[in-house]
Amino acid sequence: MTFVLMAAVGLAVAGCSAPPKPEVTFFSAGRSVATGPSQHCDERVENCTADPDAVAALRVPADRPLQISVDDSVAATPWQVVFRYRLPNGDRVDGRSEVFPPDKQFAYTLRLPERGAQLETAEVHQFGAVLFQRVDGGVDFPTRATWVLSVDDRS
């Protein structure tokens, strides 16, 4: 009887656990790596958790594309890719993709615009369901979750 009671309590606790956090997969040069979010909040961007160890590393050779595949729950919301790359002369450039509307984009291929450019980092930003009014009259979309890729650029 005690075993049955303990099993029922175990199942009830397991049923109440939080669902797993969505993953993003990065692909380049025949290799891939998946990671969970380094920061994740609820859709109202109120209850947040951080995981500083949730940073993926992947070798992305210069002039090679980076393919990104997002979990269905990420694609169900607006999201964007934010990245930084280095030009052959050493200058660093920050860039970002367009914002993808909900349920329209499940993957993205990042191709750097300059020949010989080396990707340094890429992040997927999932936006929350709230808007913040700026002082200048504009609107900000807060980032709900972030998935980070640190690029290994060794030749």
Side-chain angles (χ1 to χ4, degrees):
M1 181 73 155
T2 304
F3 175 74
V4 173
L5 181 59
M6 286 176 52
V9 169
L11 286 174
V13 170
C16 294
S17 65
K21 293 188 172 109
E23 287 191 336
V24 168
T25 304
F26 299 93
F27 306 87
S28 185
R31 301 209 182 243
S32 67
V33 63
T35 187
S38 60
Q39 172 241 313
H40 190 270
C41 303
D42 64 18
E43 65 184 29
R44 305 238 357 115
V45 192
E46 292 173 348
N47 299 307
C48 301
T49 59
D51 182 356
D53 296 326
V55 175
L58 181 68
R59 185 172 178 277
V60 180
D63 292 323
R64 295 292 296 266
L66 174 68
Q67 296 170 310
I68 302 166
S69 176
V70 300
D71 185 271
D72 290 351
S73 65
V74 177
T77 65
W79 64 282
Q80 179 178 54
V81 177
V82 177
F83 55 94
R84 183 179 60 236
Y85 60 96
R86 187 176 61 250
L87 297 174
N89 68 4
D91 288 347
R92 287 189 162 81
V93 180
D94 293 324
R96 57 185 60 236
S97 70
E98 63 185 279
V99 174
F100 304 113
D103 298 317
K104 298 290 182 193
Q105 190 92 15
F106 294 80
Y108 175 73
T109 300
L110 172 59
R111 289 183 174 81
L112 300 178
E114 285 91 356
R115 183 139 175 79
Q118 175 62 60
L119 184 65
E120 292 186 335
T121 185
E123 298 180 2
V124 171
H125 290 198
Q126 178 186 33
F127 298 110
V130 294
L131 302 175
F132 293 122
Q133 186 74 38
R134 292 193 316 242
V135 189
D136 67 1
V139 176
D140 283 330
F141 297 87
T143 300
R144 172 183 178 187
T146 305
W147 292 262
V148 179
L149 175 70
S150 177
V151 173
D152 175 358
D153 62 359
R154 293 176 289 173
S155 299

